[in-house]
Amino acid sequence: MVDQIDITKVLFLDIETVSGSPAYDDLDDNMQYLWSLKAPGALRRYGETVEGEELAESYNDKAGIFAEFGKIVCISVGAVYRDSDRKLKIRLKSFADRDEAKLLTAFSEMIDQYYGDPNKFYICGHNIKEFDVPYMCRRIVINQQPMPKLLDISGKKPWETKHLLDTMELWKFGDRKSYVSLKLLAGILGFPSPKDDIDGSEVGRVFWEEDDLERIAVYCEKDVLATAQLFMRYARKPLFEEEQVSFVER
C-alpha cells in the first residue's frame, strides 16, 4: 500500500506534550482531586489510592500524556516535495509556543491551507492514531477552536480515515498486542535513531525547568524525520540524505 502513495501528498507529524501546570501544587483544588482519581490508572495501580508526595510525583511524570491534564508545546511537521531536478526533498517546520492556543491556531491554519482535502492528502506519524491525533483533537476542543478538516474524524468509520497513516500500525501486520518504538525500528531497518538527546520522559523537565523550547522542537523534528525515513523503508525507496533535508527557521 505505502509504495503506491505519492509521498509529496503526505504530511509527516509528531507532537510533544507536557503537564498543563508546572507541578501538582499549582493545580486548583478541583483539578487536584480529579488527578487523584486518574493517578492510580496512570500508574497501573488500579483500585489503589495514591496520596501525598507520590501523587505529586505522578502528576509530574504522567500528566503530560493525558490531553485532559496536559498540553501541547510543539507540533513538528515534514513536507516532502520535488525540486527542479525531480529529486525528493523534505522540509521540516515546528510550531512551538508556550501559548498552546497560538500554536494550535498556526498549525490548523497551515494544515487547512495546504492539506485541506482528506481525499487527496495524508497525515503520517508513529502511533499517531492512538496518541498524536486524539490528543490534538481534544486540545483543539478544550481551546474552543475549529477542527481542521484532516482531523475532523469524530464518528468516522475506519475506511473514512484512510488519510491517517500510522507507521507503528503498518508494522503490526494484524498484531494487536505490541508497541514498537521508532527507535527500535530505526535500529533494525538501518536509519539514524531520533533519540540522541532527550526522550519523551524528559520533555516536561526541559520545558518547565530549563525553559528550552528550542531543544524540544529540535527533538520533535528528529522524530518527524525518522518517521519519514521509516516510510521510505516501507516503500522500499532510498532514505533521505542530509542534503535533501532542510529546516524552516524558527
Side-chain angles (χ1 to χ4, degrees):
M1 171 190 172
V2 172
D3 57 354
Q4 298 175 5
I5 294 174
D6 180 356
I7 195 173
T8 66
K9 305 297 184 183
V10 180
L11 182 69
F12 295 93
L13 179 146
D14 186 53
I15 71 173
E16 298 303 332
T17 66
V18 300
S19 58
S21 296
Y24 174 78
D25 290 341
D26 295 306
L27 299 174
D28 61 32
D29 291 344
N30 184 51
M31 290 305 293
Q32 285 188 357
Y33 169 70
L34 291 171
W35 179 253
S36 73
L37 300 179
K38 188 72 172 181
L43 297 173
R44 299 182 182 275
R45 290 166 48 185
Y46 305 100
E48 298 184 25
T49 299
V50 181
E51 299 177 314
E53 184 176 336
E54 186 180 24
L55 181 62
E57 289 178 356
S58 72
Y59 178 80
N60 293 337
D61 293 340
K62 301 294 185 180
I65 64 175
F66 299 102
E68 300 82 4
F69 295 95
K71 67 176 184 177
I72 301 170
V73 295
C74 183
I75 302 176
S76 294
V77 298
V80 179
Y81 64 99
R82 290 183 174 87
D83 65 12
S84 57
D85 295 324
R86 305 296 294 168
K87 186 174 184 179
L88 287 177
K89 293 187 176 180
I90 183 168
R91 182 180 291 116
L92 301 171
K93 174 181 175 63
S94 287
F95 300 87
D97 205 292
R98 292 164 184 81
D99 184 336
E100 184 186 44
K102 183 178 177 181
L103 177 161
L104 289 172
T105 296
F107 169 76
S108 295
E109 289 176 350
M110 180 280 296
I111 199 173
D112 269 344
Q113 181 177 357
Y114 297 106
Y115 298 87
D117 188 347
N119 294 312
K120 293 182 179 179
F121 298 103
Y122 302 85
I123 301 176
C124 182
H126 197 69
N127 200 29
I128 197 173
K129 290 186 178 180
E130 291 190 5
F131 185 72
D132 304 72
V133 166
Y135 203 112
M136 287 189 294
C137 291
R138 290 163 184 162
R139 294 309 301 178
I140 288 169
V141 171
I142 289 169
N143 281 277
Q144 289 293 278
Q145 295 185 2
M147 193 69 65
K149 295 181 182 66
L150 257 65
L151 299 182
D152 191 10
I153 60 172
S154 181
K156 296 286 181 66
K157 304 293 190 298
W159 55 87
E160 296 175 308
T161 59
K162 290 182 178 179
H163 62 285
L164 301 181
L165 301 175
D166 192 324
T167 53
M168 190 178 81
E169 184 180 81
L170 290 169
W171 182 255
K172 286 185 174 182
F173 296 98
D175 179 4
R176 299 297 179 185
K177 302 183 295 297
S178 62
Y179 171 88
V180 181
S181 71
L182 189 55
K183 181 177 183 178
L184 175 56
L185 291 175
I188 62 177
L189 293 175
F191 58 90
S193 169
K195 313 299 185 184
D196 60 356
D197 180 23
I198 58 176
D199 62 37
S201 66
E202 299 175 279
V203 170
R205 175 185 58 77
V206 172
F207 180 79
W208 288 117
E209 297 180 19
E210 299 181 11
D211 193 27
D212 196 343
L213 198 56
E214 173 68 16
R215 187 180 179 190
I216 293 171
V218 169
Y219 162 71
C220 195
E221 288 175 356
K222 288 179 180 179
D223 268 358
V224 173
L225 179 57
T227 302
Q229 301 286 40
L230 177 55
F231 185 97
M232 296 297 269
R233 280 293 193 235
Y234 286 158
R236 303 185 310 283
K237 295 179 180 178
L239 296 174
F240 291 104
E241 301 291 341
E242 186 175 349
E243 64 273 12
Q244 294 172 265
V245 182
S246 62
F247 301 84
V248 176
E249 186 176 348
R250 288 183 287 277

